[in-house]
Amino acid sequence: MVTDNFKKIRLSLLYFPVVLLSFVILFLYEYDALSTGSYVQIQKNTFLFLNSKLSQYPVLEYNLTQLGDALVILSLLSVFIVYIPAIWENLLSALLVSTVCSVVLKELFAVPRPAAVFDHNSFVIIGKTLTGHNSLPSGHSITISTILTVVLFAFMPRKLIYKIMWYSVVFVVGFILVSTRVGVGAHYPLDITIGSIIGYLSGVLGIFINQKHKLCAWVNNKKYYPVFIVLFVIGIVLTLNRITNENLVIFYISLAGLMISLYIIARKYVEE
């Protein structure tokens, strides 16, 4: 089912997000907000309002926002390497596209973070205070949207009613996760909006590219399991370090995912 779903991906799926992104650009143009300063100021009141509302549950927000970290969210999907490798074949391709887009666009736009512009007492900052000039687009939003796009198409139901329900569930989950970036005071609303659109585009492009060129077909080859075993061990060490520095529930969940996947893939490799 999953493999068949990926084969159905067409570039026509890019039309709607491209149109949506065009509307965002037209909106900024209409309000003369294509310059860095204007882009920030036009969102100031909206950012402050949303930040004040979303930050009312700081522990929950800070845990959820960690899912925008590739190490954390991918650890929850790591078991699919063994059981549904097609997901990871397309995930790796999609994440390659999204990483390039994120790095290039952040460098190109160089928009200052909220904490680099506004008085720190005027809004809520949860976690580290980010003051760099790399706000647009939101990297966490790109990562979340890219991964959810791959998962969306991987498990797409056949019946229309179930498709609508599945789209709705994934959209709501994605919306909640990306909105945390405003809640923790790290990004402006348009940062996460644009980041989410780019993430979706990256997901579709990554799947399409992998289906055409089979860039990551090696994932399904058991002789490469030692590579993943090493990566899982490194991931466990990094996660343990994060638990030491920030004792968050989401890191324990991430650690559990990695340890279970490590056990499964190591056992499968030894059995072969």
Side-chain angles (χ1 to χ4, degrees), residues 106-122:
K106 280 178 176 290
E107 186 70 23
L108 177 65
F109 295 124
V111 174
R113 299 261 190 173
V117 179
F118 306 136
D119 187 326
H120 292 187
N121 295 319
S122 65

Side-chain angles (χ1 to χ4, degrees), residues 93-145:
S93 179
L95 287 171
L96 178 60
V97 175
S98 68
T99 299
V100 172
C101 289
S102 180
V103 172
V104 171
L105 293 177
K106 280 178 176 290
E107 186 70 23
L108 177 65
F109 295 124
V111 174
R113 299 261 190 173
V117 179
F118 306 136
D119 187 326
H120 292 187
N121 295 319
S122 65
F123 68 102
V124 179
I125 299 175
I126 301 173
K128 296 179 181 179
T129 300
L130 304 176
T131 57
H133 284 59
N134 58 351
S135 194
L136 175 66
S138 164
H140 279 65
S141 298
I142 291 177
T143 299
I144 291 169
S145 186

Side-chain angles (χ1 to χ4, degrees), residues 183-195:
V184 300
H187 284 285
Y188 310 102
L190 284 179
D191 291 348
I192 64 172
T193 301
I194 295 171

Side-chain angles (χ1 to χ4, degrees), residues 164-176:
I164 294 173
M165 293 172 63
W166 179 232
Y167 264 109
S168 300
V169 168
V170 174
F171 176 81
V172 171
V173 170
F175 177 79
I176 291 172

Side-chain angles (χ1 to χ4, degrees), residues 200-221:
Y200 177 84
L201 291 169
S202 299
V204 173
L205 279 173
I207 295 172
F208 183 80
I209 291 171
N210 188 63
Q211 292 304 306
K212 289 292 182 181
H213 304 288
K214 303 298 181 183
L215 297 179
C216 301
W218 55 270
V219 172
N220 196 29
N221 192 327

